[in-house]
Amino acid sequence: MNHSLHFGIVVSVRGSVVDARFDELPPSIHSLLRAGENGRIVIEVQAQLDAHRVRGIALTSTQGLARGMPVEDTGEPLQAPVGRGTLARMFDVFGRTIDRGGALSDVHWRSVHRAPPTLERRSTRSEIFETGIKVIDVLVPLERGGKAGLFGGAGVGKTVLLTEMIHNMIGHHEGVSIFCGIGERCREGEELYRDMHEAGVLPEMVMVFGQMNEPPGSRFRVGHAALTMAEYFRDDEHRDVLLLIDNIFRFIQAGMEVSGLMGQMPSRLGYQPTMGTELSGLEERIANTDTGAITSIQAVYVPADDFTDPAAVHTFSHLSASIVLSRGRASEGLYPAIDPLQSSSKMATPGIVGERHYRLAQEIRRTLAQYSELKDIIAMLGLEQLSPEDRNVVARARRLERFLTQPFFTTEQFTGLAGKLVSLEDALDGCERILRDEFKDYPESALYMIGAIDEAKPETKPGAPPPSARKPQPQPEPAADVDAS
């Protein structure tokens, strides 16, 4: 075999864009080229310019690369390691371990460029993915094999919520979790690795990072690498996978940079003309098939809080649920700080969750919305000025808010409270009983940071009858007990 077939020379280097000339057969699209000392500079072919020249995007820094240098066509696309040996490890886009944990074993390599599952392989049943977190399961049910967006600023609990879901996925579903950091700060990756290690969830999880300082080509491919690992567990081991992506906007941003470097004409607001196709190529691989499901939760950064931005619009079209975290709720200590009125799910219909669940969720939202409207009046005039009906609504809403808080397993060491996994049935039962005023004689604090409703303890005086034995009062409890937050 003629060895010179695999070698060409670099003809131009412009930042991350490298043109190479091959006298014989030029490399195919998505082939990796290697140049420099020990092949440390890796280039992915993006276009064939003519019979001999190809243009590629470097996935590494091009420092030291010059015209006339030899370049080798590996004849293979970018590959990711798959197998049980990837568990508890942390990888970069090339599948190299970055956790100083020794050599990889029990893995084989697969191309990161894979087609989404065909329609006949996809499951047509809509199933609920139970998280064990009350507020999500009741008000924003997630779809098994679906995609949920997690919207929130800094410090409102995105990472804690993701960590808890990983913990519950491993304990509750016996599944695998894969965390994919796209354009992350290296500090965040290091902290997350340490948190996962301390929470004891690392053995059933894989972490893949394409950090913020890496070239756009590398950040653009790290999502595909993580998905390839997830597909192995779904298709070969028939396990359910929870795929966490932080942040999907950075994937679009990396694609925009690659597109600009390749000289493509920009589309609206400077985005790449191929944005819809690129995002679909990634998102459509996240699916529920006959062998298992990849359920994805994606942190979404919304540029300038503009939900009409093309990146946000395209991302929304793929999501089946939106979880919005609120700074106001976090400041009140209502964790998880999910805003029940802003968050929504396409699963919350009578045909999927059932009539009772749907009716309860609607009633909870209505009660919380009424309380939200009454807050201004309470702040100005005080609770005493409300009608008895409105005071009952406030009492119910405040008890619901507290019941929808939950102690997490991953925060036990900070709060001293044992974590709770609550079944959907227990969560619905608790909400229904609060709405029926069964707990109107209990102090609000009795419902705060508990699991199932049976854990609520009435603070009764010695010799006083239990709340269930007392006669129903025409008025709600004293004003001090339901003062406005």
Side-chain angles (χ1 to χ4, degrees):
M1 190 174 175
N2 186 353
H3 197 58
S4 67
L5 278 176
H6 298 289
F7 280 88
I9 59 161
V10 174
V11 290
S12 87
V13 184
R14 297 190 310 284
S16 289
V17 182
V18 180
D19 288 3
R21 180 183 172 83
F22 289 79
D23 289 330
E24 304 290 334
L25 282 170
S28 53
I29 301 286
H30 291 157
S31 278
L32 286 193
L33 311 180
R34 288 186 175 271
E37 188 185 330
N38 300 327
R40 64 178 182 80
I41 297 171
V42 184
I43 301 149
E44 185 181 71
V45 175
Q46 296 280 342
Q48 294 179 336
L49 302 178
D50 56 34
H52 296 287
R53 288 187 313 136
V54 294
R55 178 166 292 171
I57 288 284
L59 305 186
T60 55
S61 165
T62 52
Q63 194 172 358
L65 192 64
R67 281 188 296 182
M69 284 177 89
V71 57
E72 182 191 4
D73 172 19
T74 62
E76 292 179 331
L78 181 65
Q79 296 190 319
V82 298
R84 300 212 38 92
T86 59
L87 292 171
R89 301 304 298 267
M90 191 166 168
F91 298 92
D92 67 6
V93 70
F94 300 107
R96 296 182 302 222
T97 54
I98 49 173
D99 55 8
R100 303 183 192 159
L104 268 183
S105 59
D106 191 22
V107 297
H108 55 279
W109 295 75
R110 278 186 191 166
S111 164
V112 303
H113 304 282
R114 297 166 64 81
T118 55
L119 276 174
E120 63 261 26
R121 277 199 57 215
R122 287 171 184 260
S123 170
T124 51
R125 273 212 332 274
S126 284
E127 294 176 72
I128 295 301
F129 174 80
E130 271 195 49
T131 61
I133 298 168
K134 289 181 284 195
V135 64
I136 293 178
D137 289 345
V138 172
L139 295 174
V140 202
L142 303 186
E143 181 182 12
R144 181 173 173 266
K147 297 168 270 277
L150 188 60
F151 302 83
V156 291
K158 282 200 299 292
T159 305
V160 171
L161 194 55
L162 290 181
T163 317
E164 185 71 4
M165 284 192 188
I166 291 168
H167 181 281
N168 293 357
M169 174 72 180
I170 289 159
H172 195 53
H173 292 268
E174 294 168 359
V176 178
S177 293
I178 295 184
F179 185 92
C180 173
I182 306 177
E184 287 283 276
R185 299 165 186 86
C186 57
R187 165 184 65 78
E188 293 170 332
E190 190 270 335
E191 283 173 4
L192 191 72
Y193 183 82
R194 209 170 52 231
D195 291 346
M196 299 299 167
H197 194 276
E198 285 169 9
V201 299
L202 211 52
E204 289 299 316
M205 129 170 236
V206 185
M207 300 173 86
V208 193
F209 283 96
Q211 281 160 211
M212 203 173 249
N213 59 314
E214 292 181 24
S218 164
R219 284 179 272 129
F220 187 55
R221 287 289 173 233
V222 72
H224 299 97
L227 253 171
T228 305
M229 296 179 184
E231 285 165 342
Y232 164 82
F233 289 109
R234 178 190 68 191
D235 300 338
D236 296 45
E237 295 212 355
H238 300 183
R239 294 175 76 177
D240 278 3
V241 183
L242 180 63
L243 174 67
L244 305 149
I245 301 176
D246 192 4
N247 188 307
I248 198 69
F249 174 76
R250 306 271 176 233
F251 167 76
I252 294 172
Q253 207 173 34
M256 182 160 75
E257 290 175 55
V258 169
S259 170
L261 288 166
M262 291 299 295
Q264 287 181 332
M265 182 72 76
S267 176
R268 205 171 129 229
L269 296 189
Y271 285 104
Q272 63 273 40
T274 50
M275 172 169 65
T277 317
E278 288 166 1
L279 187 62
S280 302
L282 188 74
E283 297 278 14
E284 290 299 303
R285 286 169 65 180
I286 301 168
N288 183 356
T289 69
D290 46 9
T291 54
I294 299 176
T295 304
S296 171
I297 296 165
Q298 308 172 7
V300 184
Y301 167 71
V302 181
D305 290 339
D306 175 16
F307 284 86
T308 64
D309 186 274
V313 171
H314 278 268
T315 307
F316 269 122
S317 67
H318 291 279
L319 302 177
S320 53
S322 304
I323 301 169
V324 179
L325 296 176
S326 142
R327 197 170 298 283
R329 294 179 77 77
S331 65
E332 287 178 47
L334 299 173
Y335 285 104
I338 294 168
D339 187 329
L341 301 177
Q342 294 275 309
S343 306
S344 64
S345 167
K346 290 178 184 168
M347 295 290 103
T349 63
I352 296 171
V353 296
E355 196 64 52
R356 174 179 176 242
H357 183 165
Y358 175 74
R359 195 189 68 250
L360 268 174
Q362 292 297 91
E363 199 175 337
I364 292 164
R365 281 179 195 278
R366 194 161 49 245
T367 306
L368 294 175
Q370 284 175 282
Y371 173 44
S372 178
E373 287 169 9
L374 292 169
K375 274 182 178 173
D376 288 344
I377 299 173
I378 297 168
M380 289 187 290
L381 304 175
L383 193 76
E384 298 76 27
Q385 301 305 314
L386 297 181
S387 67
E389 294 84 33
D390 284 347
R391 265 185 276 181
N392 275 332
V393 166
V394 171
R396 263 178 235 132
R398 288 177 64 83
R399 278 163 180 70
L400 279 171
E401 280 186 338
R402 277 142 190 78
F403 177 62
L404 291 175
T405 60
Q406 191 166 340
F408 280 178
F409 292 96
T410 46
T411 55
E412 278 178 16
Q413 66 216 48
F414 311 113
T415 60
L417 297 170
K420 296 279 169 34
L421 189 78
V422 184
S423 73
L424 176 60
E425 198 45 53
D426 284 348
L428 289 173
D429 183 50
C431 292
E432 190 170 42
R433 289 172 66 187
I434 290 169
L435 289 167
R436 287 205 309 250
D437 286 342
E438 279 187 38
F439 295 88
K440 61 184 295 186
D441 295 323
Y442 281 55
E444 288 171 10
S445 56
L447 300 173
Y448 180 66
M449 285 292 169
I450 60 171
I453 195 78
D454 296 334
E455 294 172 30
K457 302 261 191 305
E459 293 166 13
T460 50
K461 299 186 188 81
S468 54
R470 293 182 202 156
K471 286 180 184 167
Q473 301 292 313
Q475 290 288 337
E477 58 280 295
D481 202 27
V482 287
D483 60 39
S485 57

